[in-house]
Amino acid sequence: MVMTAATPLQRTVADGRTDYWNDSCALVELEYAIANGGVGATSNPTIVGEVLKKELDVWGPRVQAIVKERATASDVEICWQVVEEMAVRGAALLEPIFVATEGRKGRLSIQTDPTQYRSAGAMLAQARHFATLAPNLNVKFPTTAAGLEAMEAATADGISINATVSFTVSQALAVGAAVERGLAVRQAAGHDTSDMAPVCTIMMGRLDDWLKAVAVRDGTIVEPSYPDWAGIAVLKRAHALFAARGYRTRLLGAAYRHHLHWSELIGGDVILTMPYAWARRFNASTVEVRPRFAEPVAPAIVEGLAAAFPDFVAAYAEDGLQPAAFDTYGATVRTLRTFIASYHDLVRQIDELMLPNPDLAPAR
Protein backbone atom coordinates (compact mmCIF):
# COMPACT_ATOMS: atom_id res chain seq x y z
CA MET A 1 0.00 0.00 0.00
CA VAL A 2 1.40 3.39 -1.02
CA MET A 3 1.19 5.99 1.75
CA THR A 4 0.62 9.57 0.64
CA ALA A 5 2.56 12.20 2.56
CA ALA A 6 0.47 14.81 4.35
CA THR A 7 0.27 18.16 2.61
CA PRO A 8 1.60 21.33 4.30
CA LEU A 9 -1.97 22.40 5.09
CA GLN A 10 -2.83 19.00 6.53
CA ARG A 11 0.26 19.28 8.74
CA THR A 12 -0.78 22.82 9.71
CA VAL A 13 -4.03 21.57 11.24
CA ALA A 14 -2.74 18.23 12.54
CA ASP A 15 -2.52 19.30 16.18
CA GLY A 16 -6.16 20.43 16.23
CA ARG A 17 -5.37 23.97 17.39
CA THR A 18 -5.04 25.81 14.11
CA ASP A 19 -8.06 25.58 11.80
CA TYR A 20 -8.14 26.18 8.05
CA TRP A 21 -11.14 27.58 6.19
CA ASN A 22 -11.66 28.13 2.49
CA ASP A 23 -12.09 31.82 1.71
CA SER A 24 -14.91 31.13 -0.74
CA CYS A 25 -18.15 29.21 -1.09
CA ALA A 26 -17.21 27.77 -4.52
CA LEU A 27 -17.81 24.02 -4.34
CA VAL A 28 -14.65 22.83 -6.12
CA GLU A 29 -12.52 25.07 -3.90
CA LEU A 30 -14.33 24.00 -0.75
CA GLU A 31 -13.92 20.32 -1.65
CA TYR A 32 -10.17 20.92 -2.03
CA ALA A 33 -10.05 22.62 1.37
CA ILE A 34 -11.90 19.79 3.11
CA ALA A 35 -9.57 17.25 1.50
CA ASN A 36 -6.66 19.20 3.01
CA GLY A 37 -8.08 19.50 6.50
CA GLY A 38 -10.37 22.50 6.04
CA VAL A 39 -13.28 22.79 8.46
CA GLY A 40 -15.09 25.94 7.36
CA ALA A 41 -15.69 28.53 4.67
CA THR A 42 -16.69 32.12 4.25
CA SER A 43 -18.27 34.47 1.76
CA ASN A 44 -18.82 38.17 1.15
CA PRO A 45 -20.13 40.24 -1.79
CA THR A 46 -16.77 40.10 -3.58
CA ILE A 47 -16.55 36.32 -3.17
CA VAL A 48 -20.14 35.70 -4.28
CA GLY A 49 -19.54 37.77 -7.41
CA GLU A 50 -16.44 35.71 -8.21
CA VAL A 51 -18.30 32.43 -7.66
CA LEU A 52 -21.13 33.61 -9.89
CA LYS A 53 -18.63 34.12 -12.72
CA LYS A 54 -16.76 30.86 -12.10
CA GLU A 55 -19.95 28.82 -11.90
CA LEU A 56 -21.98 30.67 -14.52
CA ASP A 57 -23.09 27.35 -16.01
CA VAL A 58 -24.86 26.67 -12.70
CA TRP A 59 -26.01 30.11 -11.63
CA GLY A 60 -27.02 31.51 -15.02
CA PRO A 61 -29.82 28.95 -15.44
CA ARG A 62 -30.67 29.20 -11.75
CA VAL A 63 -31.20 32.96 -11.97
CA GLN A 64 -33.43 32.45 -15.00
CA ALA A 65 -35.43 29.87 -13.04
CA ILE A 66 -35.83 32.25 -10.08
CA VAL A 67 -37.03 34.96 -12.46
CA LYS A 68 -39.81 32.61 -13.60
CA GLU A 69 -40.61 31.46 -10.05
CA ARG A 70 -40.83 35.00 -8.64
CA ALA A 71 -42.58 37.12 -11.23
CA THR A 72 -42.43 40.39 -9.27
CA ALA A 73 -39.07 39.99 -7.50
CA SER A 74 -36.57 42.82 -7.91
CA ASP A 75 -32.95 42.35 -8.90
CA VAL A 76 -31.95 42.95 -5.26
CA GLU A 77 -34.34 40.27 -4.02
CA ILE A 78 -33.07 37.78 -6.58
CA CYS A 79 -29.49 38.72 -5.72
CA TRP A 80 -30.03 37.86 -2.06
CA GLN A 81 -31.71 34.59 -2.97
CA VAL A 82 -28.60 33.63 -4.92
CA VAL A 83 -26.36 34.66 -2.01
CA GLU A 84 -28.43 32.54 0.35
CA GLU A 85 -28.57 29.52 -1.96
CA MET A 86 -24.79 29.62 -2.40
CA ALA A 87 -24.34 29.71 1.37
CA VAL A 88 -26.75 26.86 2.00
CA ARG A 89 -25.09 24.75 -0.68
CA GLY A 90 -21.65 25.27 0.84
CA ALA A 91 -22.95 24.72 4.37
CA ALA A 92 -24.35 21.33 3.30
CA LEU A 93 -20.86 20.23 2.28
CA LEU A 94 -19.56 21.19 5.73
CA GLU A 95 -22.46 19.73 7.72
CA PRO A 96 -20.79 16.36 8.47
CA ILE A 97 -17.94 18.25 10.17
CA PHE A 98 -20.47 20.42 12.01
CA VAL A 99 -22.27 17.33 13.33
CA ALA A 100 -19.07 15.48 14.25
CA THR A 101 -17.73 18.45 16.26
CA GLU A 102 -21.08 19.30 17.88
CA GLY A 103 -21.21 22.70 16.23
CA ARG A 104 -17.69 23.86 17.03
CA LYS A 105 -16.52 23.55 13.41
CA GLY A 106 -18.02 22.90 9.98
CA ARG A 107 -19.57 26.34 9.51
CA LEU A 108 -19.90 28.74 6.60
CA SER A 109 -20.09 32.50 7.10
CA ILE A 110 -22.66 34.59 5.24
CA GLN A 111 -22.39 38.38 5.27
CA THR A 112 -25.08 40.92 5.98
CA ASP A 113 -25.83 43.68 3.47
CA PRO A 114 -22.72 45.92 3.46
CA THR A 115 -24.80 48.99 2.61
CA GLN A 116 -26.51 48.63 6.02
CA TYR A 117 -23.30 49.03 8.05
CA ARG A 118 -24.85 51.95 10.01
CA SER A 119 -28.13 50.20 10.90
CA ALA A 120 -28.01 47.69 13.74
CA GLY A 121 -31.70 46.92 13.28
CA ALA A 122 -31.42 46.14 9.57
CA MET A 123 -28.38 43.91 10.08
CA LEU A 124 -30.00 42.09 13.00
CA ALA A 125 -33.21 41.44 11.03
CA GLN A 126 -31.20 39.97 8.16
CA ALA A 127 -29.12 37.86 10.56
CA ARG A 128 -32.25 36.39 12.11
CA HIS A 129 -33.44 35.42 8.64
CA PHE A 130 -30.06 33.89 7.75
CA ALA A 131 -30.19 31.80 10.93
CA THR A 132 -33.26 29.98 9.57
CA LEU A 133 -31.49 28.84 6.39
CA ALA A 134 -29.11 26.20 7.78
CA PRO A 135 -27.91 25.15 11.24
CA ASN A 136 -24.23 25.72 10.48
CA LEU A 137 -24.10 29.33 9.30
CA ASN A 138 -22.15 32.07 11.03
CA VAL A 139 -23.43 35.56 10.26
CA LYS A 140 -20.89 38.24 9.37
CA PHE A 141 -21.33 41.78 10.68
CA PRO A 142 -18.93 44.65 10.06
CA THR A 143 -17.09 45.87 13.13
CA THR A 144 -18.67 49.30 13.03
CA ALA A 145 -20.45 50.95 15.96
CA ALA A 146 -23.80 49.65 14.70
CA GLY A 147 -22.30 46.29 13.85
CA LEU A 148 -21.17 45.78 17.45
CA GLU A 149 -24.69 46.47 18.69
CA ALA A 150 -26.12 43.98 16.20
CA MET A 151 -23.53 41.32 17.08
CA GLU A 152 -24.37 41.49 20.76
CA ALA A 153 -28.11 41.15 20.11
CA ALA A 154 -27.58 38.35 17.58
CA THR A 155 -25.42 36.44 20.07
CA ALA A 156 -28.16 36.76 22.68
CA ASP A 157 -30.50 35.25 20.07
CA GLY A 158 -28.22 32.23 19.72
CA ILE A 159 -26.65 33.25 16.41
CA SER A 160 -22.92 32.56 16.01
CA ILE A 161 -21.37 35.72 14.60
CA ASN A 162 -18.30 36.44 12.51
CA ALA A 163 -17.07 40.00 12.96
CA THR A 164 -15.60 41.26 9.70
CA VAL A 165 -14.20 44.62 8.51
CA SER A 166 -11.90 44.38 11.52
CA PHE A 167 -8.23 45.38 11.56
CA THR A 168 -7.31 46.55 15.06
CA VAL A 169 -6.78 45.22 18.56
CA SER A 170 -9.41 47.60 19.92
CA GLN A 171 -12.01 46.40 17.39
CA ALA A 172 -11.28 42.78 18.27
CA LEU A 173 -11.56 43.48 22.00
CA ALA A 174 -14.85 45.30 21.47
CA VAL A 175 -16.16 42.26 19.58
CA GLY A 176 -14.98 39.89 22.29
CA ALA A 177 -16.71 41.96 24.98
CA ALA A 178 -19.93 42.32 22.96
CA VAL A 179 -20.11 38.57 22.41
CA GLU A 180 -19.54 37.87 26.10
CA ARG A 181 -22.42 40.18 26.99
CA GLY A 182 -24.64 38.46 24.45
CA LEU A 183 -23.68 35.01 25.72
CA ALA A 184 -24.39 36.09 29.31
CA VAL A 185 -27.89 37.24 28.33
CA ARG A 186 -28.55 33.97 26.55
CA GLN A 187 -27.26 31.88 29.46
CA ALA A 188 -29.31 33.91 31.96
CA ALA A 189 -32.38 33.03 29.89
CA GLY A 190 -31.61 29.35 30.42
CA HIS A 191 -30.11 28.54 27.03
CA ASP A 192 -27.06 26.37 26.39
CA THR A 193 -24.31 28.21 24.51
CA SER A 194 -21.78 25.40 24.26
CA ASP A 195 -22.66 24.78 20.60
CA MET A 196 -22.08 28.40 19.57
CA ALA A 197 -18.89 29.31 17.70
CA PRO A 198 -18.39 33.09 17.46
CA VAL A 199 -15.49 34.34 15.37
CA CYS A 200 -13.69 37.67 15.03
CA THR A 201 -11.82 38.24 11.79
CA ILE A 202 -8.68 40.36 11.61
CA MET A 203 -8.09 41.32 7.99
CA MET A 204 -4.31 41.20 8.20
CA GLY A 205 -3.53 41.93 4.56
CA ARG A 206 -5.96 44.83 4.36
CA LEU A 207 -4.25 46.50 7.32
CA ASP A 208 -0.89 45.94 5.61
CA ASP A 209 -2.33 47.41 2.40
CA TRP A 210 -3.60 50.46 4.25
CA LEU A 211 -0.24 51.25 5.84
CA LYS A 212 1.46 50.93 2.45
CA ALA A 213 -1.10 53.32 0.99
CA VAL A 214 -0.51 55.76 3.85
CA ALA A 215 3.25 55.58 3.21
CA VAL A 216 2.67 56.59 -0.42
CA ARG A 217 0.12 59.26 0.50
CA ASP A 218 2.29 60.85 3.18
CA GLY A 219 5.71 60.20 1.63
CA THR A 220 6.72 58.07 4.62
CA ILE A 221 9.92 56.06 4.47
CA VAL A 222 9.85 52.76 6.32
CA GLU A 223 11.78 49.51 6.06
CA PRO A 224 10.03 47.88 3.06
CA SER A 225 9.30 44.57 4.78
CA TYR A 226 7.80 46.08 7.93
CA PRO A 227 4.21 46.72 6.73
CA ASP A 228 3.88 43.02 5.85
CA TRP A 229 4.07 42.28 9.59
CA ALA A 230 1.43 44.76 10.76
CA GLY A 231 -1.61 42.48 10.57
CA ILE A 232 0.31 39.58 12.11
CA ALA A 233 1.42 41.77 15.02
CA VAL A 234 -2.16 42.92 15.63
CA LEU A 235 -3.57 39.40 15.53
CA LYS A 236 -0.95 37.99 17.89
CA ARG A 237 -1.46 40.83 20.38
CA ALA A 238 -5.24 40.50 20.22
CA HIS A 239 -4.95 36.75 20.81
CA ALA A 240 -2.91 37.26 23.98
CA LEU A 241 -5.47 39.75 25.30
CA PHE A 242 -8.38 37.44 24.43
CA ALA A 243 -6.71 34.63 26.38
CA ALA A 244 -6.09 36.91 29.38
CA ARG A 245 -9.73 38.03 29.42
CA GLY A 246 -11.20 34.61 28.78
CA TYR A 247 -13.09 35.67 25.67
CA ARG A 248 -14.78 32.74 23.97
CA THR A 249 -14.66 34.25 20.48
CA ARG A 250 -11.99 32.74 18.22
CA LEU A 251 -9.77 34.97 16.15
CA LEU A 252 -9.53 34.43 12.41
CA GLY A 253 -6.76 35.69 10.14
CA ALA A 254 -7.89 36.81 6.69
CA ALA A 255 -6.85 38.78 3.58
CA TYR A 256 -3.78 36.83 2.48
CA ARG A 257 -0.93 38.64 0.76
CA HIS A 258 2.13 36.43 1.41
CA HIS A 259 3.16 33.22 3.17
CA LEU A 260 3.76 34.88 6.55
CA HIS A 261 -0.03 35.19 6.89
CA TRP A 262 0.04 31.37 7.05
CA SER A 263 3.44 30.36 8.37
CA GLU A 264 3.54 32.85 11.29
CA LEU A 265 0.16 31.66 12.60
CA ILE A 266 0.82 27.91 12.60
CA GLY A 267 0.28 26.45 16.06
CA GLY A 268 -2.07 29.15 17.30
CA ASP A 269 -5.62 28.54 18.49
CA VAL A 270 -6.86 30.55 15.53
CA ILE A 271 -8.59 30.11 12.19
CA LEU A 272 -6.84 30.77 8.88
CA THR A 273 -9.26 31.58 6.04
CA MET A 274 -7.30 31.13 2.81
CA PRO A 275 -8.24 31.85 -0.77
CA TYR A 276 -8.03 28.72 -2.90
CA ALA A 277 -5.11 30.07 -4.95
CA TRP A 278 -3.05 30.74 -1.82
CA ALA A 279 -3.91 27.34 -0.34
CA ARG A 280 -2.58 25.63 -3.47
CA ARG A 281 0.56 27.78 -3.38
CA PHE A 282 1.17 26.92 0.26
CA ASN A 283 0.68 23.21 -0.45
CA ALA A 284 3.25 23.44 -3.25
CA SER A 285 5.76 25.38 -1.17
CA THR A 286 8.86 24.29 0.71
CA VAL A 287 8.16 26.59 3.69
CA GLU A 288 8.82 24.62 6.88
CA VAL A 289 5.59 23.74 8.67
CA ARG A 290 6.33 24.33 12.34
CA PRO A 291 4.61 26.20 15.18
CA ARG A 292 5.51 29.88 15.08
CA PHE A 293 2.46 31.50 16.63
CA ALA A 294 4.05 31.84 20.06
CA GLU A 295 7.03 33.67 18.55
CA PRO A 296 6.47 37.44 18.90
CA VAL A 297 6.92 39.81 16.02
CA ALA A 298 10.40 41.31 16.37
CA PRO A 299 10.31 44.39 18.62
CA ALA A 300 12.30 46.35 16.03
CA ILE A 301 9.50 45.79 13.51
CA VAL A 302 6.77 46.85 15.93
CA GLU A 303 8.77 49.90 16.99
CA GLY A 304 9.52 50.81 13.38
CA LEU A 305 5.87 50.58 12.41
CA ALA A 306 4.80 52.63 15.41
CA ALA A 307 7.37 55.31 14.63
CA ALA A 308 6.29 55.54 11.00
CA PHE A 309 2.52 55.16 11.24
CA PRO A 310 0.10 56.67 13.77
CA ASP A 311 -2.47 54.37 12.15
CA PHE A 312 -0.41 51.36 13.25
CA VAL A 313 -0.38 52.70 16.80
CA ALA A 314 -4.16 53.02 16.57
CA ALA A 315 -4.35 49.41 15.34
CA TYR A 316 -1.89 47.88 17.81
CA ALA A 317 -2.69 49.70 21.04
CA GLU A 318 -5.23 48.08 23.35
CA ASP A 319 -7.21 51.33 23.46
CA GLY A 320 -6.07 52.63 20.09
CA LEU A 321 -9.59 53.37 18.86
CA GLN A 322 -12.91 53.98 20.54
CA PRO A 323 -16.00 52.39 18.94
CA ALA A 324 -17.16 55.79 17.67
CA ALA A 325 -13.99 55.90 15.55
CA PHE A 326 -14.28 52.39 14.10
CA ASP A 327 -16.37 53.57 11.15
CA THR A 328 -13.84 56.19 10.06
CA TYR A 329 -10.57 54.25 10.48
CA GLY A 330 -8.82 54.24 7.11
CA ALA A 331 -8.78 50.47 6.55
CA THR A 332 -12.44 50.29 7.57
CA VAL A 333 -13.48 52.96 5.07
CA ARG A 334 -11.44 51.36 2.29
CA THR A 335 -12.93 47.92 2.92
CA LEU A 336 -16.50 49.12 3.27
CA ARG A 337 -16.13 50.96 -0.03
CA THR A 338 -14.83 47.76 -1.64
CA PHE A 339 -17.62 45.59 -0.22
CA ILE A 340 -20.33 48.07 -1.16
CA ALA A 341 -18.95 48.39 -4.69
CA SER A 342 -18.77 44.59 -4.97
CA TYR A 343 -22.36 44.33 -3.80
CA HIS A 344 -23.54 46.78 -6.45
CA ASP A 345 -21.48 44.89 -9.05
CA LEU A 346 -23.17 41.67 -7.92
CA VAL A 347 -26.62 43.19 -8.39
CA ARG A 348 -25.52 44.34 -11.83
CA GLN A 349 -24.45 40.77 -12.68
CA ILE A 350 -27.90 39.59 -11.63
CA ASP A 351 -29.46 42.27 -13.87
CA GLU A 352 -27.48 40.97 -16.83
CA LEU A 353 -28.67 37.42 -16.19
CA MET A 354 -32.25 38.56 -15.71
CA LEU A 355 -32.18 40.64 -18.92
CA PRO A 356 -29.92 38.95 -21.47
CA ASN A 357 -28.51 41.26 -24.14
CA PRO A 358 -30.98 41.32 -27.08
CA ASP A 359 -28.26 42.54 -29.44
CA LEU A 360 -26.47 39.18 -29.21
CA ALA A 361 -27.56 36.41 -31.50
CA PRO A 362 -29.21 33.50 -29.67
CA ALA A 363 -27.17 30.34 -29.28
CA ARG A 364 -27.79 27.79 -32.04
Side-chain angles (χ1 to χ4, degrees):
M1 181 178 178
V2 178
M3 299 297 291
T4 303
T7 66
L9 291 182
Q10 288 170 337
R11 298 201 301 277
T12 294
V13 302
D15 68 358
R17 285 178 56 78
T18 309
D19 284 341
Y20 152 43
W21 284 13
N22 185 59
D23 199 30
S24 171
C25 52
L27 282 192
V28 169
E29 298 177 6
L30 183 50
E31 288 168 349
Y32 177 86
I34 292 170
N36 282 275
V39 294
T42 190
S43 65
N44 61 37
T46 305
I47 289 170
V48 171
E50 291 170 353
V51 174
L52 191 62
K53 293 173 184 175
K54 291 175 184 175
E55 300 179 350
L56 194 58
D57 60 325
V58 173
W59 294 106
R62 180 59 190 139
V63 170
Q64 288 295 315
I66 296 170
V67 169
K68 292 178 181 177
E69 293 164 7
R70 302 179 63 185
T72 62
S74 69
D75 54 357
V76 170
E77 290 169 324
I78 292 175
C79 176
W80 280 107
Q81 182 167 342
V82 169
V83 170
E84 292 170 13
E85 289 187 9
M86 276 191 191
V88 169
R89 186 188 64 164
L93 205 58
L94 290 162
E95 191 169 6
I97 299 169
F98 177 78
V99 172
T101 61
E102 299 181 332
R104 292 186 300 278
K105 302 179 184 184
R107 293 172 175 267
L108 185 143
S109 292
I110 180 172
Q111 188 159 329
T112 53
D113 183 343
T115 69
Q116 298 285 2
Y117 69 93
R118 298 194 305 164
S119 174
M123 288 187 282
L124 182 59
Q126 192 173 33
R128 287 169 173 162
H129 168 65
F130 287 163
T132 69
L133 301 176
N136 57 327
L137 292 178
N138 276 49
V139 178
K140 296 173 82 170
F141 299 85
T143 310
T144 57
L148 283 170
E149 181 183 343
M151 287 179 219
E152 182 174 340
T155 302
D157 282 350
I159 298 168
S160 291
I161 65 96
N162 181 347
T164 186
V165 193
S166 176
F167 318 89
T168 69
V169 170
S170 51
Q171 282 178 299
L173 291 175
V175 170
V179 169
E180 289 301 318
R181 292 191 298 270
L183 290 172
V185 169
R186 186 156 183 81
Q187 290 166 339
H191 298 288
D192 181 20
T193 60
S194 62
D195 61 345
M196 294 178 66
V199 172
C200 178
T201 295
I202 293 181
M203 306 183 90
M204 303 176 293
R206 287 183 178 270
L207 175 61
D208 301 354
D209 293 345
W210 172 238
L211 296 184
K212 292 173 185 178
V214 168
V216 172
R217 183 195 69 191
D218 296 346
T220 302
I221 298 297
V222 65
E223 177 65 31
S225 65
Y226 282 9
D228 287 334
W229 289 90
I232 297 166
V234 165
L235 192 149
K236 288 190 175 187
R237 182 152 201 230
H239 185 273
L241 291 167
F242 268 47
R245 299 184 185 194
Y247 288 164
R248 286 168 279 186
T249 300
R250 291 189 78 197
L251 291 173
L252 180 153
Y256 279 61
R257 301 293 186 266
H258 46 73
H259 85 75
L260 297 176
H261 288 150
W262 157 55
S263 57
E264 281 294 315
L265 304 185
I266 295 171
D269 181 14
V270 292
I271 302 165
L272 313 181
T273 184
M274 299 179 192
Y276 174 69
W278 276 109
R280 293 191 69 91
R281 288 175 70 177
F282 294 153
N283 265 345
S285 77
T286 58
V287 174
E288 182 185 4
V289 179
R290 66 173 179 83
R292 295 182 181 84
F293 191 84
E295 300 173 8
V297 175
I301 294 175
V302 175
E303 291 164 7
L305 288 168
F309 300 110
D311 275 18
F312 175 74
V313 176
Y316 191 72
E318 185 174 340
D319 56 355
L321 292 172
Q322 295 302 310
F326 290 171
D327 296 33
T328 55
Y329 183 65
T332 298
V333 173
R334 270 187 141 212
T335 302
L336 284 173
R337 287 171 64 92
T338 298
F339 282 169
I340 291 168
S342 293
Y343 170 66
H344 290 309
D345 285 345
L346 179 58
V347 175
R348 181 182 52 77
Q349 288 183 64
I350 296 296
D351 285 331
E352 291 177 355
L353 293 172
M354 292 174 67
L355 295 165
N357 189 342
D359 297 330
L360 299 178
R364 295 182 182 275

